[in-house]
Amino acid sequence: MARPHVVAHVAIALDGATTGFAPAVGRFYELAATWAEDVTLAGADTILAQEPALRAAPRRQAPVGAPLLAVVDSRARVREWEALGSVGHWSGVLALRAAATPPRPHHAVPELVAGAECVDLAEALTALGEHHGARVVRVDSGGGLIGALVRRGLLDELSLLVHPLLAGPGQQSWHGGAQASAAAFELIAAEALERDLVWLRYRVG
Ligand SMILES: NC(=O)c1ccc[n+]([C@@H]2O[C@H](COP(=O)([O-])OP(=O)(O)OC[C@H]3O[C@@H](n4cnc5c(N)ncnc54)[C@H](OP(=O)(O)O)[C@@H]3O)[C@@H](O)[C@H]2O)c1
């Protein structure tokens, strides 16, 4: 099976920040349903930022057809695997690790090994397609993971929900410092939404 279609859907401020403002969460997840992804791919830092809330979150059954959650976690930092698998958003959880990733003796979770020192993202995406039936992967993360995907030419589509404000200095940007020319981004849709939100979609080449 070919590598899945990889789309990053991210809420940003006008300065490109992904943090330091209150996104329109309901609208964000309504739009995220556009892709009906097979796998949600998250960065470890995105999960770590949610761990306090996850511990207290109610447990419920995931709906039929819910995606698998795969977390890039080369350093075995994520702890709340049980909660991630029980909050009703995902059908299951999968830790993406490298050969050098430390063991997680107290946190049993299925693992996919890709790469030597840190997760090889290309290999991991191919394995998600081949072994987990992933045709569409939606990236839910900040610029750390999105930037790494852009640098390796692994991002096929970028979806930005742009909020009309400036988050200010010291915030994370959606691209994590990656560089790309205008030729890399082809606009496929632009839509003005309520409260001056704008939804932009680009094909990434
Ligand atoms: N506005 C939004 O739509 C939105 C969405 C999601 C998250 N967020 C916010 O974004 C923040 C987290 O974003 P973040 O950018 O700090 O982190 P992140 O993208 O969640 O996590 C960085 C991930 O990238 C991996 N990584 C980085 N470079 C890599 C490479 N070369 N090869 C393989 N893996 C690589 C890291 O792997 P390791 O595990 O090896 O370290 C880590 O898993 C949180 O505050 C969260 O709330 C915002």
Side-chain angles (χ1 to χ4, degrees):
M1 182 185 278
R3 188 170 65 73
H5 180 80
V6 180
V7 52
H9 175 58
V10 58
I12 65 166
L14 285 172
D15 50 6
T18 59
T19 56
F21 67 101
V25 174
R27 185 53 125 156
F28 179 81
Y29 283 106
E30 185 188 319
L31 297 177
T34 300
W35 296 276
E37 77 266 21
D38 305 297
V39 172
T40 310
L41 181 67
D45 295 283
T46 291
I47 301 300
L48 290 172
Q50 294 172 15
E51 283 201 334
L54 274 168
R55 280 191 279 277
R59 307 309 197 238
R60 51 181 154 243
Q61 191 84 26
V64 174
L68 174 73
L69 174 68
V71 183
V72 179
D73 190 21
S74 308
R75 290 173 278 169
R77 292 179 292 152
V78 171
R79 294 284 176 269
E80 297 297 331
W81 295 106
E82 182 280 325
L84 286 167
S86 317
V87 290
H89 299 321
W90 297 287
S91 59
V93 290
L94 181 66
L96 306 188
R97 56 163 286 180
T101 299
R104 349 169 168 259
H106 306 300
H107 303 280
V109 59
E111 294 186 319
L112 188 160
V113 184
E117 294 303 317
C118 71
V119 172
D120 181 321
L121 296 170
E123 192 181 326
L125 287 166
T126 300
L128 286 171
E130 286 179 350
H131 305 306
H132 297 273
R135 286 160 301 157
V136 176
V137 171
R138 181 175 66 81
V139 182
D140 192 342
S141 85
L145 181 56
I146 297 173
L149 291 165
V150 169
R151 285 187 192 93
R152 283 158 187 74
L154 296 171
L155 192 67
D156 301 304
E157 184 178 343
L158 173 67
S159 164
L160 300 173
L161 181 59
V162 184
H163 293 62
L165 55 91
L166 297 171
Q171 304 299 335
Q172 311 263 16
S173 68
W174 68 265
H175 47 74
Q179 281 187 305
S181 70
F185 298 98
E186 180 191 348
L187 187 67
I188 51 179
E191 192 178 338
L193 304 173
E194 72 281 358
R195 290 185 287 135
D196 294 335
L197 293 167
V198 178
W199 184 28
L200 299 172
R201 290 176 65 181
Y202 295 90
R203 188 171 295 119
V204 185

